[in-house]
Amino acid sequence: MKPVCLVIGAGAGIGGTVAKRFARGGYHVVLSRRSDKQGLDEMVRDIESEGGSAVGHLINAVEPGAIEALIKETSEAGPIEVVVFNLGAQIGTRPLAATSLKQFELGWRMACFVLFRAAQAAMPTMVQNGKGCFLVTSSTAAMRGNEGQHAHAAAMGGRRMLCQSLNAEFGSKGIHIAHIVVDGPVDAPDTLGKMMGPENFAELRRTAGGRDGLLDPAQIADTYWHVAHQHRSAWSFELDLRPWSELPWWNDKPQPTAKI
Amino acid sequence: MKPVCLVIGAGAGIGGTVAKRFARGGYHVVLSRRSDKQGLDEMVRDIESEGGSAVGHLINAVEPGAIEALIKETSEAGPIEVVVFNLGAQIGTRPLAATSLKQFELGWRMACFVLFRAAQAAMPTMVQNGKGCFLVTSSTAAMRGNEGQHAHAAAMGGRRMLCQSLNAEFGSKGIHIAHIVVDGPVDAPDTLGKMMGPENFAELRRTAGGRDGLLDPAQIADTYWHVAHQHRSAWSFELDLRPWSELPWWNDKPQPTAKI
Amino acid sequence: MKPVCLVIGAGAGIGGTVAKRFARGGYHVVLSRRSDKQGLDEMVRDIESEGGSAVGHLINAVEPGAIEALIKETSEAGPIEVVVFNLGAQIGTRPLAATSLKQFELGWRMACFVLFRAAQAAMPTMVQNGKGCFLVTSSTAAMRGNEGQHAHAAAMGGRRMLCQSLNAEFGSKGIHIAHIVVDGPVDAPDTLGKMMGPENFAELRRTAGGRDGLLDPAQIADTYWHVAHQHRSAWSFELDLRPWSELPWWNDKPQPTAKI
Amino acid sequence: MKPVCLVIGAGAGIGGTVAKRFARGGYHVVLSRRSDKQGLDEMVRDIESEGGSAVGHLINAVEPGAIEALIKETSEAGPIEVVVFNLGAQIGTRPLAATSLKQFELGWRMACFVLFRAAQAAMPTMVQNGKGCFLVTSSTAAMRGNEGQHAHAAAMGGRRMLCQSLNAEFGSKGIHIAHIVVDGPVDAPDTLGKMMGPENFAELRRTAGGRDGLLDPAQIADTYWHVAHQHRSAWSFELDLRPWSELPWWNDKPQPTAKI
């Protein structure tokens, strides 16, 4: 029986591509996303056409009980060895006055609260089996709050601390928690593409993308695979990923009155 | 007319003591807390008996509209110059399995969402006046997530990033945001005292407290006063506070197989 | 007898201004710098003209034994209560290939090694007295290494860790170590002024300075005074300082492909 | 012709084991260490016996010109694609008063200055070829300065900032800089073994090691291999490594008066 990998947030970017990678690696992959059944089915078919094993679920993870039910159902097939948590809270940059209460709350529910619930649902079995892995797709907003990022940064920052608390409790029970900071633009039509609009995104793909200046989800997936299979004597909790041509978030370009 | 300082979470520890300090400094202080009218009234009377100006409100800040109404009402008296945000999410240490959905959500609502709402309510006037100050009482949990601190760390970590986003947007509009990391036990009967139980707390006061090993809220208040009055050419966004005898959160005692 | 404050690196910017502040506060201030006897004498006279007590020493702190001798000599007058360590390693921005071995080493010697030596020289007496304070003027380079900042960032980063180790050992012996991150341009003719050149600096003073967009050393000095006199139940180890109009080092301006 | 990997500090722990891994992966490995020719020769023979290609050099990297000469000589064989920088400054835990000037300086020279010199020597060719990689073995001391770690933390902290400056300048020139924080005890007879003494180390191997509680250099080497071969659209600058059973450096065990 194949080990099970559950991808929460299997869009066409990181989530779906990590799903494919784990399928190629021999996992039975359970893909969940909120909408676009057609895209989800296509993703499942692509995996199966390569000889892989996958199933897709449309769920609204924010809905009470939804993620718990998905995890329960998935576990019935076999123990979940890897959870790829790929939900974000990015709604674009907007001033405080233009960030509604609903948006702020939704960001937290989606990015932070769903992880808490997913962990509560999945941990008992993982602990019982003495092994498991959570790969959490994070972003720069978990490390610093930029202007206009109130909802997203609050959600990401909270989730990073949650990951640390989860690791502090469950690492020594054999569960590998990894918080992966994606620090740069990802070649992902469903997320970045939607936010930028198709023309801008196509242009970005042509220019930055043409010289590997966009994070390639397939390359990200290779690192996810590596981290998930690190031997337990040498686990990584946190790592960053960015294109070679991108300055890390902590840097800025030299200036005359540089903060130095 | 006195400048106004609004303290959200005016308990007997940091909140109430900072309120007293600002009253002594000539502010009209608006104290809000959730319960214990008697204690609140006593706090107001203490301030008034010293010649200061204060008023108290019992509000459940988590309730929709409550903090917004308080800020609106307070602003009618005069522009709020300083908001001391002193709500936390500390429910003690408990494993993931013993942290209810309700607790996790309440932590976020209280510590993070109320700040978001308070900022939305207060910023327009502060920006109009070209000045204002938010002093946010934070804790070690904003910097790292310890075992058993899922709700608190997630709430604190999220709030820290929110403070950074607020600062990024409003610093250059003349609003001083300060995130103050209280990294140690505070001599506060309402919070630490309740969590430890009266006997343990009394013992702690006797031992650690006897040698200044507990953070004295009056001393904390002096630093809050200083930060709130920093000249705008030299503002602090973040600082830590701990007793001289406490190792900072990033340290541990030397060991044979030290992480070195 | 007045308590003694030793300022290592008493230039016309932060160092000299902090010296003045401590003199006004009743300290006997010992000012040391490497060159410009005239400027040093003038600084001492200014302090004395206000009724304060000061003495100046020209020393090359990097020279073996120099800082040790200064500390020994100063201690003979009375116990050093505060050391203001204000030496930096900023040589401007230059690519790796244009950073000589000598420059890299000098940066370390000046900013990091001198502090180590000063601490070794001063601690025994401070520990014996059960009190003392080191205020270390740091910069953004201690928090992140920017392009072209190899020597400065390495020196500053090393010094920050040294300050943490000093604090871990000596905090509980009553010595207050504070690492103050100056994150922005300082109105300091001897340092920033020299690096920018007089015309650029004058222009910066006119524009940014005209709206409090340059850190005013006198305001910085007030915070140094506050930190040095924090009650030991509530010490700060680290804080940042920047003008209201400056984005912190961790932020950047929103962009279309923002790292979010 | 095989690509070249230069290991600076090829002891029996991480350095030598990473060397073996790269040799197995098809690199010609140049191993350098300071002493123990016998151990070095044995390491080279082990690699060759598996069909790999390696050569060893005994050099004192701290010596002026030594690392430069090694890099020059190595480059004559072929372009250096990967530099594994594995020198540390760990001299064990000792109070400030017991840390000599010589030790403090040597720590900096070995861990920080040698990297600076190695980068200066190797970058021109790497930049010319548009590719290269530096894997820098770091430790917890780069992230926080513990008691008794003055020399080591200062050297490690400085080196971390140097790595950030190197990355800021050279990442966009195609050079991958990776700063790998080893946060836990490593099963390494030459370093940890020596510091603990043979009996304590044997005991540690039996207990912690018996349950994967010691970092296995072979597992570390697999992650080094992965990072060195990340596609340039998705590079990691920093990651941590620790055994599953080790709490990260930022955590401590829950306590009654927890810093929370």
Side-chain angles (χ1 to χ4, degrees), chain D residues 191-215:
Chain D
T191 41
L192 186 62
K194 281 211 173 99
M195 246 193 339
M196 292 187 76
E199 273 178 40
N200 288 337
F201 188 58
E203 177 66 11
L204 183 70
R205 270 181 152 171
R206 202 183 59 77
T207 52
R211 49 182 178 76
D212 299 327
L214 280 187
L215 281 142

Side-chain angles (χ1 to χ4, degrees), chain A residues 141 144 152 247 250-251 260, chain C residues 144-145 152 250-251 259-260:
Chain A
R144 63 85 193 274
H152 185 56
L247 265 187
W250 55 78
N251 284 128
I260 46 193
Chain C
R144 63 85 193 273
H152 185 57
W250 55 79
N251 283 128
K259 291 163 178 305
I260 45 192

